[in-house]
Amino acid sequence: MTKYRRIFACGVVLALALSGGVFAQPSGPEDPDVDLGIVTAGEGGTYRGWPIVIEISIAHPKADLAAIKGETVQPLVVAVPSGRWTTLVKLVIRNAQGDIQPWPYRLLTTVGSSLTLDVESRGGLTVVLSPEAMAVPTVGRYSVEVFLDSRNGTTAASWKGVSSSRLEFDLKDVPTTPSNGLACKKGYVFSEYHSALGQLSAASSALDTALAQAPDELVCLVERAELAERQGNTHDAIDFYQRAMEAKAQLPQEAGGESSSGSLLHRCLELVKKLPASERHPLGIFCAYVTCEERTDGGTCPAPAKSAPAVPKRGARTGARMDGKAQ
């Protein structure tokens, strides 16, 4: 199963904004790697009125290779004398004509005055645009570019330079008759937005709404299982993993991708192991739990501790599945 999770762009060019124009030059081998990702509805775009989640990653340029070799690297430090190092980060959004867009994005990540980059440590920032904000722009192609510019306003020991990353996406009108696949995509995008804000109940509701229309959409079932697991709702997570495996079994084999039924079963069984012994199946090989009514230990059933999923347990596929989300 592939997910339409994010569009990613790796920064390979530095854009130096100087008086009189913008000039590009190759990134130096000692400059941090800046990666930019957007949670989208797949196929390189998203829809008006849907939120946008932008993820920015800053890493040591030699971290990946050093990790493979089991080596260490000389740390890079990005630091300002006081305040937050995110004052060095600039996000620029332009339309197809190159005009800067005054979109009211919101930085969610709280940081300190310095960032240390090595094999194990990297910087991560999350920026969001609300559904209300994204209902205003017109349809078209837009670009997002992020700059890490530490040439001024940093400490003496800080790395000095500019590193950047850029990507493009299409903003489209929502179809008048959304398909099951699009319903799941919307649920996923809204779930990621609410999760970024720490609103896990709202994130769950977004996926439940999508699954009420498209109960067999594999990506949304897996995402809902993972969300239930994050919330500590082990029984719900097991239920959704079971449904995901059943949905996966209905797809052509090549559609499974890296998240095959086997890996889903493994993740579910890891959850089953965390249940009390009285709730685990004796053989321990099933993605399921023993309900209180099915127990044979003679204990008294307590009041239900979990609510049933807000979407039907089963459902026939009535529309085309989603194409996938870029990982």
Side-chain angles (χ1 to χ4, degrees):
M1 178 193 70
T2 56
K3 292 184 175 183
Y4 32 59
R5 188 170 180 80
R6 293 167 180 85
I7 305 172
F8 275 107
C10 297
V12 296
V13 171
L14 296 184
L16 303 181
L18 303 176
S19 176
V22 176
F23 302 90
Q25 67 181 39
S27 177
E30 301 300 325
D31 295 333
D33 288 337
V34 176
D35 290 350
L36 178 63
I38 299 182
V39 178
T40 71
E43 301 174 359
T46 190
Y47 296 93
R48 296 181 68 244
W50 290 20
I52 286 181
V53 180
I54 300 173
E55 297 177 346
I56 302 166
S57 174
I58 305 170
H60 194 287
K62 300 179 181 178
D64 290 343
L65 182 59
I68 293 173
K69 294 182 175 181
E71 299 175 348
T72 60
V73 296
Q74 180 67 33
L76 280 178
V77 177
V78 180
V80 294
S82 61
R84 300 174 180 176
W85 63 262
T86 47
T87 57
L88 306 173
V89 179
K90 304 296 186 293
L91 189 68
V92 180
I93 301 173
R94 300 177 187 271
N95 62 14
Q97 290 71 44
D99 302 321
I100 294 178
Q101 304 298 293
W103 292 1
Y105 54 79
R106 174 184 173 191
L107 174 64
L108 300 182
T109 312
T110 301
V111 301
S113 61
S114 66
L115 169 66
T116 299
L117 305 175
D118 54 29
V119 175
E120 300 292 336
S121 302
R122 65 178 61 208
L125 303 175
T126 300
V127 176
V128 297
L129 285 148
S130 69
E132 295 77 16
M134 291 311 301
V136 176
T138 59
V139 298
R141 172 150 290 214
Y142 294 88
S143 67
V144 180
E145 191 163 16
V146 61
F147 296 88
L148 174 63
D149 185 350
S150 64
R151 293 171 296 175
N152 299 298
T154 53
T155 63
S158 175
W159 164 77
K160 307 282 199 250
V162 184
S163 193
S164 70
S165 182
R166 180 181 182 275
L167 58 77
E168 296 183 349
F169 69 94
D170 292 315
L171 186 63
K172 299 170 281 191
D173 280 324
V174 179
T176 54
T177 307
S179 65
N180 280 5
L182 187 61
C184 181
K185 292 175 182 180
K186 179 179 180 180
Y188 172 76
V189 170
F190 273 79
S191 175
E192 288 286 295
Y193 171 72
H194 288 298
S195 292
L197 294 173
Q199 302 167 348
L200 298 187
S201 294
S204 298
S205 296
L207 288 169
D208 288 342
T209 299
L211 287 168
Q213 176 179 337
D216 291 335
E217 288 296 334
L218 181 57
V219 169
C220 278
L221 288 169
V222 174
E223 200 70 23
R224 186 63 177 86
E226 293 173 350
L227 188 55
E229 189 173 351
R230 286 178 58 191
Q231 293 174 288
N233 298 332
T234 304
H235 291 149
D236 282 357
I238 292 171
D239 287 342
F240 282 109
Y241 275 126
Q242 178 63 42
R243 288 180 56 192
M245 286 187 287
E246 293 174 0
K248 167 66 178 63
Q250 303 302 315
L251 300 177
Q253 185 172 0
E254 63 272 13
E258 60 188 37
S259 295
S260 65
S261 294
S263 64
L264 291 175
L265 177 60
H266 174 76
R267 291 157 70 179
C268 187
L269 291 179
E270 289 299 309
L271 283 178
V272 172
K273 292 178 183 178
K274 299 178 182 180
L275 294 174
S278 60
E279 295 185 14
R280 296 197 296 266
H281 191 279
L283 295 180
I285 60 174
F286 298 110
C287 174
Y289 52 86
V290 178
T291 64
C292 183
E293 291 76 9
E294 296 170 331
R295 285 167 50 181
T296 59
D297 58 4
T300 302
C301 290
K306 79 176 190 76
S307 59
V311 292
K313 287 281 186 178
R314 299 289 185 270
R317 181 172 298 281
T318 56
R321 63 181 180 82
M322 68 200 69
D323 290 332
K325 55 182 181 176
Q327 188 73 21

